[in-house]
Amino acid sequence: MAPLPLIIMLLASAPAVDVADGRVLPGCQATCGGVDIPYPFGIGARCSHAGFEIACNGSTPFLSGTSYKVLNLSLATSGALLELRIAWTCYDRSGKRRDSEAPIFFNPQGVYRISNARNQLYVVGCDVTAYIQSRKENSSNAVYAYDYEYYTGCVSYCTSAESVKDGRCAGVGCCRVDIPPNLTDNSIRVGNDDEDSLDVRQIIYEFSSCSYGFLVDRNSYTFRRADLKMEKNQTMPVWMDWAIRPKGSSEFTCSDAMKDSSSYACKSKDSNCTNAANGPGYTCSCAHGYEGNAYIVDGCTDVNECLYPEKYPCHGVCRNRVGSYECKCKRGSHGNPLKDTCEPNLPRSALITIGVVCGISFIIISAILMVMVHHRRKLREFFKRNGGPMLENINNIKIFTKEELNQITKNYSIVLGKGGFGEVYMGIVDNKQQVAVKRSISVDEARKKEFANEVIIQSRISHRNVVRLLGCCLEVDVPMLVYEFAPKGSLYDVLHGAEDNKRASLPLGTRLNIAVESAEALSYMHSSATQKILHGDVKSGNILLDENFMPKVSDFGTSRLLSIEKKHTILVIGDMNYIDPVYMKTGRLDEKSDVYSFGVVLLELITRKKPRYDGNNSLIINFFKSYGSEDKTRKMFDEEIVSPEDIEFLQKVSSIAVACLKEDMDDRPTMKQVAELLQLLRREWKQRQGDQVADEICTESPRVISPINPTGAETPGYSPLLK
């Protein structure tokens, strides 16, 4: 009588590998078909211990190299649930064996065990005896030397289908038996080939022509009479106990494993080693108070026991500790909070007195708190209305509180200036850094949205010639901005002495520097920033000067009216003396609108005249009238910088300004072109200054060669605006 093997073991483990935190190795697949694949199992090369490989085929996990489907892999129980085929033997009408099915061998390393605690052996059929058998270990521990010996089995007998009852498995049509531990490389022998059984098998052929034997999870199978004719390809869920077991070892414990730290599989420092309950070897688990994957370096993390009161009871005040938790009775009581025996420290009468006093105090404190809450709520409303939810995610500026702004500005005691968009106050941050605090005048909702947009726009700008935004305050009805301080004030102040006698002497070299660096700032905003920004209110009052007269472009009032995709606005805002006529008429704000306004600033810089001066005189109109005459143009220039050697450069600056002021936008240069022309002009002026010094030093004046046109021929790339 030939045996029918049903080999149902898992794969072996290999030495552990240091890995990063997580359930799986970095870059490895964590699940397959809804089944978690935790390390030491893994899918793909270098994703598992050797012998724990899982194949993911068509979104279904299999033991690698087999057709056995994986249903569950558990670190907590060190179990693996597989779907395995049943063993069967069928007979013909004469009662002789016809055919049988034998599953293949898939446990070459012999280190896993069938779970005796979670499975049972079932035998289904009439006149059948089945045994489960296991390999006998020999002295050489050879894995492939099979010498089977029987361990346990049972007998099922019946002579009629009516005697078999659904749900009953006690020897009539079905029998079952517990299996012993340490079963590996097992087979099941199903059948009865005795000659004396031929007559019985002929009688039962019509309702039980086959006999079946299989292992199955204790909670997953209930016998039915219809199972006397089971499908031959039927599968059953079977639990395996897996552990870290060296190949072929019949005895191996935690103490053995710890002798070699390189192969020791419990990699987390907060892990425990436990000897395997079924067979040799060991398993790893996180220590008490920790959870995670003990097979991974730092895979065990602290459990916050206070979040799981049903598992970690505490009838007092719970506080998490690393690896444990602390449970104390509430303040004013004593006892055992773990057993819910906390009692008050004071007698009842004292508690009543304290309660009355506390009640009165509570009413008073509640009233105070209501006022404070109302105040905080009002501040929060201001915060939201002023664009707080939009601005609080910007990490390169500081959001100041109202109290901080009061301290910084000393209750707004020093006013630096006023303009169309608000007031500016002096402030000091951290007792050392001077700042300018700007507060908008208007408080309507449109202005609130403008304020938030201004902050966003300026937070994206990083240029030495653009005033740096340090932070903002949102907890006030009138939103405020905090800027770096420019001690010289605005270019308008320096040119025209607008406030506090700030008018200062400005040689041509300084004015050229102001023109070049202001143009570079606007060029950066138009083409070099992370996204194009249109200023929309370029004027001398919005060009601030530091202690060295370095210009810093400020105040983005108009630009914040426009979205990134939108170039038109119904509300045209800006100084009418500088504003582009095209923008004024159409509401279309273009980078050439900034070019036009900068042209006005250039005229203002070389003439030291306001855009509208002496009552109703227009600088632009008067300059254009005199532009065709050299004498008239000379009279328009500021007397401080008019000299025979510099008149040529003033003419060239004026030609750039005239180009910026052309009526047709398309005929105006870009700010980048304006910056390049001014840079070229400044280099020529500096070279001229150097040549003049050389002429004074040398007794014989050398021939001066122009850096712009040394030969007198047309220079490629040299704009005719400078001729």
Side-chain angles (χ1 to χ4, degrees):
M1 183 168 61
L4 176 63
L6 177 60
I7 310 302
I8 47 177
M9 289 305 301
L10 282 173
L11 303 174
S13 69
V17 179
D18 287 343
V19 296
D21 292 345
R23 294 187 303 110
V24 297
L25 296 183
C28 296
Q29 186 174 337
T31 63
C32 177
V35 177
D36 289 337
I37 312 295
Y39 191 76
F41 296 94
I43 299 171
R46 298 186 297 277
C47 286
S48 66
H49 278 281
F52 283 78
E53 296 88 351
I54 300 296
C56 188
N57 301 326
S59 298
T60 301
F62 295 89
L63 290 183
S64 182
T66 76
S67 61
Y68 298 102
K69 184 186 298 184
V70 177
L71 303 178
N72 182 278
L73 297 172
S74 172
L75 292 179
T77 64
S78 299
L81 183 62
L82 308 181
E83 188 176 88
L84 303 179
R85 297 191 303 270
I86 65 173
W88 52 267
T89 299
C90 292
Y91 303 90
D92 58 20
R93 288 184 176 277
S94 65
K96 294 183 178 181
R97 183 187 297 270
R98 185 178 65 202
D99 52 10
S100 62
E101 170 69 16
I104 62 172
F105 170 73
F106 66 96
N107 184 33
Q109 302 195 49
V111 295
Y112 283 67
R113 301 296 184 264
I114 301 171
S115 176
N116 60 296
R118 305 178 74 173
N119 301 310
Q120 283 187 315
L121 171 66
Y122 274 79
V123 177
V124 175
C126 294
D127 191 36
V128 57
T129 302
Y131 303 89
I132 187 168
Q133 53 194 6
S134 184
R135 172 174 59 86
K136 181 191 294 183
E137 297 286 350
N138 56 26
S139 59
S140 64
N141 289 327
V143 175
Y144 296 105
Y146 294 101
D147 182 11
Y148 292 104
E149 60 183 24
Y150 295 103
Y151 277 81
T152 189
C154 65
V155 177
S156 174
Y157 186 83
C158 53
T159 56
S160 68
E162 290 73 17
S163 63
V164 180
K165 304 298 182 181
D166 288 349
R168 297 182 182 179
C169 189
V172 180
C174 173
C175 67
R176 60 183 175 180
V177 64
D178 290 341
I179 60 175
N182 205 24
L183 290 183
T184 180
D185 293 342
N186 296 278
S187 66
I188 296 177
R189 173 178 288 185
V190 179
N192 190 342
D193 290 345
D194 295 341
E195 290 295 329
D196 296 340
S197 298
L198 291 177
D199 293 341
V200 175
R201 287 199 293 270
Q202 291 172 4
I203 296 172
I204 65 176
Y205 177 80
E206 293 299 333
F207 59 90
S208 181
S209 60
C210 298
S211 299
Y212 311 93
F214 51 88
L215 289 167
V216 65
D217 170 34
R218 289 175 179 268
N219 301 316
S220 298
Y221 177 72
T222 301
F223 171 70
R224 299 174 305 164
R225 182 167 62 185
D227 290 343
L228 292 175
K229 293 186 177 181
M230 296 177 70
E231 294 289 338
K232 295 178 181 179
N233 59 354
Q234 180 77 30
T235 59
M236 293 292 175
V238 181
W239 279 103
M240 304 293 159
D241 293 330
W242 56 268
I244 307 301
R245 317 179 202 266
K247 184 176 181 179
S249 296
S250 59
E251 295 184 3
F252 194 79
T253 64
C254 289
S255 59
D256 299 324
M258 292 178 183
K259 295 177 182 178
D260 186 356
S261 60
S262 63
S263 63
Y264 185 49
C266 302
K267 290 297 181 181
S268 177
K269 60 180 174 48
D270 301 307
S271 63
N272 292 327
C273 180
T274 304
N275 292 332
N278 189 4
Y282 65 96
T283 59
C284 305
S285 61
C286 292
H288 180 76
Y290 294 85
E291 62 185 357
N293 192 332
Y295 297 93
I296 293 177
V297 174
D298 295 330
C300 293
T301 56
D302 177 55
V303 175
N304 187 347
E305 290 86 354
C306 298
L307 299 178
Y308 309 100
E310 67 285 350
K311 186 175 181 180
Y312 306 97
C314 179
H315 301 281
V317 179
C318 182
R319 180 175 298 174
N320 184 52
R321 301 292 187 189
V322 177
S324 63
Y325 72 107
E326 177 183 272
C327 183
K328 295 182 178 180
C329 289
K330 295 180 180 180
R331 184 182 298 274
S333 62
H334 64 281
N336 188 342
L338 297 177
K339 296 182 178 180
D340 196 14
T341 60
C342 294
E343 297 179 354
N345 294 332
L346 297 175
R348 181 178 180 83
S349 58
L351 291 177
I352 293 175
T353 302
I354 293 174
V356 172
V357 173
C358 290
I360 296 173
S361 301
F362 175 77
I363 294 174
I364 297 173
I365 294 173
S366 296
I368 297 174
L369 289 177
M370 287 179 65
V371 175
M372 295 177 62
V373 168
H374 176 72
H375 178 68
R376 293 302 304 170
R377 184 179 299 157
K378 187 175 181 180
L379 294 182
R380 188 63 187 173
E381 289 176 358
F382 287 151
F383 181 85
K384 291 182 179 180
R385 191 175 65 185
N386 291 334
M390 185 188 307
L391 299 178
E392 61 187 351
N393 294 323
I394 300 177
N395 54 21
N396 59 344
I397 63 170
K398 179 178 179 180
I399 297 182
F400 293 90
T401 65
K402 180 181 179 181
E403 182 61 29
E404 288 174 332
L405 256 289
N406 290 338
Q407 296 176 2
I408 289 171
T409 62
K410 296 182 179 179
N411 293 320
Y412 310 98
S413 57
I414 303 177
V415 180
L416 295 177
K418 297 182 180 181
F421 286 99
E423 300 172 338
V424 181
Y425 302 90
M426 167 71 79
I428 298 178
V429 177
D430 298 331
N431 295 321
K432 57 183 179 180
Q433 182 183 6
Q434 289 184 315
V435 296
V437 179
K438 173 188 170 183
R439 176 164 59 185
S440 298
I441 293 176
S442 176
V443 294
D444 58 87
E445 292 305 314
R447 285 286 189 261
K448 301 300 186 300
K449 296 179 181 178
E450 294 167 20
F451 174 82
N453 200 28
E454 180 175 352
V455 174
I456 293 173
I457 289 173
Q458 294 194 54
S459 70
R460 298 170 181 163
I461 297 176
S462 177
H463 194 279
R464 73 187 191 115
N465 295 117
V466 177
V467 67
R468 185 161 61 95
L469 177 65
L470 303 177
C472 61
C473 178
L474 309 174
E475 293 182 345
V476 287
D477 186 31
V478 181
M480 290 180 281
L481 292 171
V482 181
Y483 293 101
E484 63 176 320
F485 178 65
K488 294 295 184 182
S490 70
L491 177 60
Y492 185 90
D493 296 336
V494 173
L495 287 174
H496 310 302
E499 295 181 8
D500 302 330
N501 298 319
K502 290 185 178 180
R503 181 184 174 97
S505 175
L506 286 179
L508 180 57
T510 301
R511 301 192 197 201
L512 287 176
N513 288 338
I514 293 172
V516 169
E517 295 183 27
S518 299
E520 288 176 345
L522 292 172
S523 175
Y524 162 82
M525 291 169 57
H526 288 181
S527 58
S528 301
T530 54
Q531 69 183 141
K532 179 181 291 188
I533 299 172
L534 307 181
H535 189 289
D537 193 22
V538 177
K539 60 182 179 180
S540 59
N542 286 338
I543 298 176
L544 306 181
L545 301 173
D546 69 5
E547 63 275 6
N548 298 315
F549 289 95
M550 176 188 289
K552 293 180 179 290
V553 177
S554 69
D555 202 329
F556 301 84
T558 303
S559 64
R560 66 182 187 270
L561 294 174
L562 304 175
S563 66
I564 300 305
E565 300 83 5
K566 184 179 177 184
K567 282 193 174 183
H568 289 77
T569 176
I570 297 175
L571 181 60
V572 177
I573 290 183
D575 193 319
M576 298 305 165
N577 295 315
Y578 296 84
I579 202 163
D580 176 15
V582 177
Y583 172 42
M584 176 72 74
K585 294 176 183 178
T586 66
R588 178 191 174 208
L589 182 63
D590 188 88
E591 60 184 84
K592 296 295 184 70
S593 302
D594 287 347
V595 173
Y596 180 92
S597 300
F598 185 75
V600 180
V601 174
L602 282 181
L603 290 185
E604 192 176 358
L605 192 60
I606 60 178
T607 64
R608 206 160 199 163
K609 297 181 186 296
K610 299 177 182 179
R612 188 165 297 278
Y613 64 98
D614 295 339
N616 293 321
N617 281 317
S618 169
L619 173 60
I620 300 173
I621 295 174
N622 291 345
F623 193 87
F624 268 83
K625 287 180 180 179
S626 64
Y627 185 63
S629 169
E630 183 175 340
D631 290 338
K632 291 182 179 180
T633 305
R634 182 191 296 262
K635 292 180 181 179
M636 293 290 293
F637 297 144
D638 184 8
E639 293 180 357
E640 181 183 358
I641 56 175
V642 174
S643 64
E645 60 272 14
D646 289 337
I647 193 66
E648 173 188 354
F649 297 99
L650 292 174
Q651 293 285 3
K652 291 178 179 179
V653 173
S654 64
S655 68
I656 297 174
V658 169
C660 294
L661 294 169
K662 289 188 176 181
E663 183 176 356
D664 191 338
M665 279 187 173
D666 296 334
D667 292 338
R668 301 171 194 167
T670 64
M671 279 311 308
K672 182 177 181 181
Q673 292 171 328
V674 172
E676 291 173 349
L677 290 171
L678 289 171
Q679 289 168 356
L680 187 63
L681 183 59
R682 182 175 61 176
R683 285 198 298 270
E684 180 184 0
W685 183 83
K686 287 183 178 180
Q687 180 64 43
R688 180 70 61 83
Q689 295 299 109
D691 290 343
Q692 288 178 357
V693 173
D695 287 344
E696 294 174 1
I697 295 175
C698 298
T699 57
E700 182 179 352
S701 299
R703 181 171 60 90
V704 178
I705 300 176
S706 170
I708 296 181
N709 194 352
T711 64
E714 189 73 24
T715 303
Y718 174 53
S719 171
L721 293 174
L722 296 181
K723 294 184 179 178

